[in-house]
Amino acid sequence: MAEATTNGKYKVIGTRPIRHDGADKVTGRAKYGADYTFPGMLHGKVLRSPHAHAIIKSINFDKALKLPGVKAIVTSKDLPSVANKLEQAGEMAINPHHLSMNILAHDRVLYDGHAIAAVAAINGHIAEEAVRLIEVEYEVLPPVMTVDVAMKPGATILHKDLRNQEDGDKQTNVAQHYQFKRGDVAAGFKAADYVVEREFKTAMVHQGYIEPHNAVGIYSSDGTATIYCSTQGAFEVRSFSAQVLGMPVGKIRVVPAEIGGGFGGKTTVYLEPLSVLLSKKTGAPVKLVMSRAEVLRASGPTSGSQIKVKMGATKDGKLVAAEIWMAYEAGAFPGSPVGAGAMCIITPYKVENFLIDAYDVVVNRPKTAAYRAPGATNAAFASETVIDELAEKCGIDPIDFRIKNGVKEGDAQTVGPPFKRIGFIQTCEAIKNSPHYKSKLTGKNRGRGVASGFWFNAGMNSSATVNIHADGTASVVTGSPDIGGSRASMAMITAEVLGLSANDVRPVTADTDSIGHTDVTGGSRVTFATGMAVYEAAQDAVKQMIERASKVWEKKPDEVEFRDGKFFAKGNGVPPMSIKDLAPRFSRTGGPITGRASVNGRGVGPGFATTCVDVEVDPETGKVQILRCTIAQDAGKAIHPSYVEGQMQGGTAQGLGWGLNEEYFYDEKGILRNVGLLDYRMPTCLDLPMIETCVVEEANPGHPLGVRGVGEVSIVPPPAALANAIYRAVGVRMLETPMSPPKVLKAVLKHGGSAQHSAAAD
Amino acid sequence: MSKKTLVEATVNGETVEFLCEPRQSLLESLRDILELTGAKEGCLTGDCGACSVMIDGRVVCSCLMFGVEAQGTNITTVEGLATTGTLHSLQRKFLEHASLQCGICTPGFLMAAKGLLDRNPEPNEADVRYALAGNLCRCTGYDKIVKAVLDAAADLRTHGEGKAAAR
């Protein structure tokens, strides 16, 4: 019946219409969280710890409260006591106790920037002055900044009550140990002709969204609260805030504002519960916006890590064994993405024998949050460098080595079950056949590197409604905050099913009271899962309209067909009817048409990407200039190709920044020293070339349109691709990110020999 | 501390008067007093360019200027880029090339790009990258932004619309 428009020859899908929210975004009208104001609104600021690790002995805010214009101050005493165990909140498990301690430190501060108190005042300047008047007495403790220090016997302990499954009742900084294994690793290495063993370090990096965190909280005297904020997941903000505040979920409404980037960093809460607490205490709306320094010091970066990789191959280039040890900084509370990293690190390859040990370790740094394919980029930096070295030892082209060992449909994933249809090999072949890879790179100190990456992608819950208007156009309502153009894709899917143009469908992101539960915009899941809900909701609308058309024609529903946006009555010469013709008759045939669907996105299609990068290394300064970059990624199906390319380019740029420049600099006291965007050095447009894209479309069999989701995997290959390119340029294997000028220079000087020689000969 | 100063300036072609505290930045004055929230706060240190506006024809980070310093100046914000109902070529090209994802940096990029095209109507890729290097975008990798600016420059050379829209 309603399958009519999706025969593989799409009219709307695969085209490039102007995004629906575009005009507002180029004219400055789009409303982001910090743009909201309400009558009588107060402004909040947060007092943050100047120490990495300390016991809070006392807090005195008498002076601050006396400052004219100050309306209220809250500390952790204003938070209810909550459960100290993992609880389901939406699709993500959280520990409400840890979340509460991160919102406002309870009895100790665990990182530089840890929130201690929050002030509401008539303007932000007064709130800031009040913050400076709060007196806190600390007992400073030694900071634990890296996983090796944190894991040492006798290390300073962050959480007295933290235990893991292996160490019994012993106090520890290791929150979790994951292990994955297959086959016989010792036998595997025995069969290997070449074995490469390397140790890697990656620095903690930030998602770097340009819009700081923000929230406006409005607590009403009837016990309900409304939160306006820029978030990737309004429903997560609702459930997390409810947990921390001890409020029922149904009493909180979250209105997602336009969001200025997130990349995983806006999937949790920082200011949202504070805005409600302060609003409750003052009776006024309260807005809080982080400064850039607060974003860097206290919102979720992703883990720095230490990784050891040992891999073996036979001389004909078959991978036979892998032994991996990895430890990720979780930040101040458990929950690094090391488990995900472990499940990604060798997943692109068929390896019969492996043992992977992975450790989640708490340190005196901000609690990490998701960052685009969380855990996978650190992991790939290590494994893809070792793969490159093995390919070289075997004398095989690095792309051919990957094609030879790469996973295909039916091969086992690291976690066990076999892959369904995937496009990894196709991404390798796309690079191999690209003008970039076929071109010859010439010149001194220049090199070309390739690397690949894997990310699971996610399904989870999504809801959608499709409303047919009286003029035959439609609106599509979802609960997925649009972070990179997804509204356009939702409108296009609706238009495809209804036989309308993309312009005839208006996409809307609704608040938590106006749409069914919809999980976070993350995991590359919006076009996949919310797209699936939209597809089904549009089909539901078509099904209802077929019944109405049959009423108009006095036929049975199965005597009416819908195709190309028109209804046809079987058998006689009645002229077809468009949705526009039918829409004015809705009220006489049974009322308005609203199609609905809710899905629990099964059939997730994993994502793969392969990236090729050319660099030139200045052997005198260690600076690495990127000359050319191409990425091939499997999208499954590109709904709006421009925004698919955009995800590939954006993720690549982040990966290149991660590889070359970005890092958190902590001093010996555990204080973050680069808290601005001049010193936390993200790529500018002078640092990057055009980023060429090859969109591979290996349809995901688990999705009606073949969609996989494209948001994340593009970030995974670049750091390793850069390391491999630097090796070919100057002969040194870089084992640490960022591969910044001082580190590259040091490696080049240490290596001496050929690199220096060729530079001298230049 | 909070004694306010009366400031008179031209904003997007209109004469405006506003009262601001000496400590309020121009960005804060535009956003919180004049309710022009198109310019965004990304860093408050002049590193991200999201707050870029044009003052007397020059691209300026409005977070680095005080509101009182705007006295007597001519300010164009992103809200003043389109003429009644018609988008500036840069705005159109940003949409056609899908040069924005989240859109938070877009107002700043548009103003920086306008500053470039006003000075240099025939920029090459290197000129564009140099002129936009003070603006950070974390979503796009800049590729589609650079292409849109080059395309808008070509469009303005052909149609000259920018000259009219620039005022």
Side-chain angles (χ1 to χ4, degrees), chain A residues 16-19 21-23 25-32 34-35 37 43 123 125-126 129 206-212 258-261 263 287 289-293 371-372 482-485 640-643 645-647 649-651 653-654 657 662 676-680 682-686 688-692, chain B residues 1-2 21 23-25 28 31-32 35-50 77-82 87-88 90-107 109-110 125-126 128-147 150:
Chain A
R16 300 174 187 244
I18 301 289
R19 64 194 283 168
D21 53 323
K25 285 189 171 154
V26 296
T27 54
R29 278 205 192 109
K31 257 181 122 141
Y32 295 78
D35 301 335
T37 53
H43 296 259
N123 67 49
H125 298 283
I126 293 174
E129 283 175 48
H206 198 271
Q207 295 82 348
Y209 31 80
I210 306 300
E211 178 203 43
E258 292 294 344
I259 174 169
F263 315 107
K287 173 154 89 176
V289 181
M290 281 193 196
S291 69
R292 178 55 54 181
Y371 181 19
R372 208 167 199 156
D482 176 358
I483 204 160
H640 192 310
S642 296
Y643 290 101
E645 294 159 6
Q647 289 298 317
Q649 292 165 332
Q654 285 184 316
E662 296 176 34
L677 293 177
L678 192 62
D679 300 319
Y680 185 84
M682 305 196 292
T684 72
C685 64
L686 267 182
L688 298 174
M690 293 294 184
I691 297 165
E692 296 158 63
Chain B
M1 193 62 193
S2 66
E21 290 181 44
R23 63 182 169 185
Q24 287 184 292
S25 67
E28 190 182 338
R31 289 177 53 83
D32 293 355
E35 298 182 338
L36 292 168
T37 55
K40 303 299 182 192
E41 178 187 322
C43 67
L44 274 189
T45 50
D47 296 317
C48 79
T77 70
V78 71
E79 288 93 341
L81 199 51
L87 295 181
H88 186 276
L90 277 165
Q91 293 170 311
R92 271 203 335 270
K93 294 300 175 188
F94 265 59
L95 293 179
E96 285 171 18
H97 286 266
S99 307
L100 48 141
Q101 286 177 30
C102 80
I104 197 89
C105 71
T106 308
F109 268 96
L110 288 167
E125 184 187 331
V128 173
R129 288 189 184 274
Y130 187 78
L132 300 183
N135 294 71
L136 291 173
C137 169
R138 192 61 158 171
C139 294
T140 65
Y142 305 102
D143 183 297
K144 293 181 190 300
I145 293 175
V146 173
K147 283 176 180 150
L150 288 168

Side-chain angles (χ1 to χ4, degrees), chain A residues 667-731:
Chain A
D667 66 16
E668 70 285 355
K669 288 182 176 161
I671 306 304
L672 186 62
R673 305 307 304 211
N674 56 331
V675 294
L677 293 177
L678 192 62
D679 300 319
Y680 185 84
R681 180 65 167 75
M682 305 196 292
T684 72
C685 64
L686 267 182
D687 300 316
L688 298 174
M690 293 294 184
I691 297 165
E692 296 158 63
T693 55
C694 313
V695 181
V696 171
E697 291 188 308
E698 190 62 39
N700 172 14
H703 191 276
L705 301 167
V707 169
R708 290 181 188 275
V710 292
E712 292 167 289
V713 73
S714 52
I715 198 175
V716 180
L722 285 166
N724 297 338
I726 291 169
Y727 170 71
R728 293 207 166 61
V730 289

Side-chain angles (χ1 to χ4, degrees), chain A residues 285-523:
Chain A
V286 178
K287 173 154 89 176
L288 292 108
V289 181
M290 281 193 196
S291 69
R292 178 55 54 181
E294 288 180 288
V295 170
L296 289 166
R297 288 168 76 203
S299 73
T302 194
S303 310
S305 57
Q306 297 185 17
I307 304 174
K308 296 175 203 171
V309 175
K310 180 181 171 189
M311 289 178 91
T314 57
K315 57 179 176 248
D316 59 344
K318 183 181 187 308
L319 286 171
V320 286
E323 193 173 347
I324 291 161
W325 181 96
M326 50 209 296
Y328 282 26
E329 298 158 358
F333 302 98
S336 77
V338 72
M343 289 186 273
C344 289
I345 189 160
I346 51 165
T347 301
Y349 307 104
K350 290 172 281 187
V351 186
E352 297 299 323
N353 311 290
F354 63 75
L355 174 64
I356 306 170
D357 284 293
Y359 298 87
D360 182 37
V361 185
V362 292
V363 291
N364 290 118
R365 294 169 178 249
K367 165 73 178 79
T368 55
Y371 181 19
R372 208 167 199 156
T377 306
N378 317 42
F381 175 64
S383 57
E384 291 289 312
T385 307
V386 169
I387 293 272
D388 195 69
E389 212 172 331
L390 279 172
E392 190 196 17
K393 284 191 190 298
C394 296
I396 300 176
D397 171 277
I399 285 281
D400 289 335
F401 189 87
R402 285 173 170 82
I403 292 172
K404 185 179 171 71
N405 289 287
V407 286
K408 301 186 193 74
E409 184 171 355
D411 290 330
Q413 305 180 47
T414 299
V415 283
F419 280 113
K420 294 196 174 122
R421 198 189 306 161
I422 48 170
F424 175 47
I425 304 290
Q426 291 87 327
T427 67
C428 293
E429 274 163 358
I431 288 295
K432 195 177 172 184
N433 297 321
S434 67
H436 180 175
Y437 202 71
K438 284 181 166 171
S439 72
K440 203 165 145 55
L441 180 64
T442 54
K444 281 227 165 64
N445 301 315
R446 291 183 166 193
R448 173 171 295 163
V450 296
S452 297
F454 161 78
W455 182 247
F456 312 91
N457 295 336
M460 308 181 2
N461 304 294
S462 284
S463 306
T465 57
V466 169
N467 306 302
I468 311 294
H469 301 315
D471 62 356
T473 63
S475 66
V476 56
V477 185
T478 76
S480 293
D482 176 358
I483 204 160
S486 61
R487 261 170 297 192
S489 300
M490 298 306 111
M492 290 169 73
I493 292 171
T494 308
E496 188 71 52
V497 175
L498 296 178
L500 299 172
S501 76
N503 266 339
D504 282 337
V505 182
R506 285 174 69 96
V508 176
T509 303
D511 67 65
T512 52
D513 280 349
S514 308
I515 186 75
H517 185 100
T518 298
D519 285 313
V520 68
T521 293

Side-chain angles (χ1 to χ4, degrees), chain A residues 25 77 209 217 251 279 311 320 343 411 428 463 507 543 572 588 600 623 626 683 751:
Chain A
K25 285 189 171 154
K77 291 204 166 66
Y209 31 80
K251 296 279 187 197
S279 178
M311 289 178 91
V320 286
M343 289 186 273
D411 290 330
C428 293
S463 306
K543 189 180 161 203
N572 59 15
R588 277 184 285 126
N600 177 247
K623 186 181 190 304
I626 300 161
H751 176 69

Side-chain angles (χ1 to χ4, degrees), chain A residues 7-267:
Chain A
N7 57 3
K9 288 220 152 203
Y10 301 119
K11 289 205 166 78
V12 182
I13 287 169
T15 65
R16 300 174 187 244
I18 301 289
R19 64 194 283 168
H20 300 69
D21 53 323
D24 279 353
K25 285 189 171 154
V26 296
T27 54
R29 278 205 192 109
K31 257 181 122 141
Y32 295 78
D35 301 335
Y36 280 85
T37 53
F38 294 89
M41 188 174 82
L42 302 172
H43 296 259
K45 292 282 174 190
V46 176
L47 170 70
R48 296 184 181 277
S49 169
H51 301 293
H53 196 186
I55 293 168
I56 300 174
K57 301 191 78 173
S58 67
I59 303 174
N60 182 346
F61 50 76
D62 292 350
K63 272 187 216 161
L65 212 46
K66 281 185 193 133
L67 186 72
V70 173
K71 298 296 182 186
I73 297 176
V74 293
T75 66
S76 64
K77 291 204 166 66
D78 296 278
L79 292 171
S81 164
V82 290
N84 186 6
K85 59 174 200 275
L86 276 187
E87 282 190 4
Q88 218 46 41
E91 193 69 11
M92 281 154 75
I94 57 154
N95 180 321
H97 182 59
H98 290 161
L99 189 61
S100 171
M101 286 197 286
N102 199 36
I103 298 297
L104 285 173
H106 290 190
D107 52 351
R108 57 167 66 192
V109 287
L110 293 164
Y111 55 93
D112 168 37
H114 197 159
I116 294 168
V119 179
I122 54 171
N123 67 49
H125 298 283
I126 293 174
E128 227 167 70
E129 283 175 48
V131 159
R132 285 198 288 271
L133 293 173
I134 300 174
E135 293 159 338
V136 184
E137 205 187 331
Y138 300 98
E139 182 189 328
V140 178
L141 303 170
V144 180
M145 300 309 293
T146 54
V147 291
D148 45 356
V149 172
M151 293 175 86
K152 264 190 198 137
T156 302
I157 294 293
L158 269 71
H159 300 278
K160 289 200 175 84
D161 57 354
L162 184 66
R163 301 289 181 274
N164 64 45
Q165 67 272 44
E166 282 161 10
D167 293 331
D169 201 37
K170 219 176 79 190
Q171 292 189 350
T172 178
N173 291 320
V174 176
Q176 191 78 249
H177 171 207
Y178 302 90
Q179 191 175 69
F180 301 92
K181 55 184 172 184
R182 180 184 301 157
D184 182 339
V185 175
F189 279 113
K190 205 172 266 180
D193 297 301
Y194 302 111
V195 174
V196 174
E197 187 171 4
R198 297 283 194 184
E199 269 188 64
F200 300 87
K201 271 188 193 173
T202 71
M204 176 169 261
V205 293
H206 198 271
Q207 295 82 348
Y209 31 80
I210 306 300
E211 178 203 43
H213 293 265
N214 55 65
V216 183
I218 307 175
Y219 189 86
S220 168
S221 47
D222 63 5
T224 63
T226 306
I227 303 171
Y228 296 80
C229 61
S230 299
T231 176
Q232 292 175 245
F235 287 85
E236 280 73 13
V237 170
R238 186 176 70 165
S239 57
F240 291 2
S241 298
Q243 294 265 12
V244 170
L245 296 168
M247 286 176 73
V249 159
K251 296 279 187 197
I252 300 177
R253 180 169 74 107
V254 178
V255 184
E258 292 294 344
I259 174 169
F263 315 107
K266 290 177 185 161
T267 56

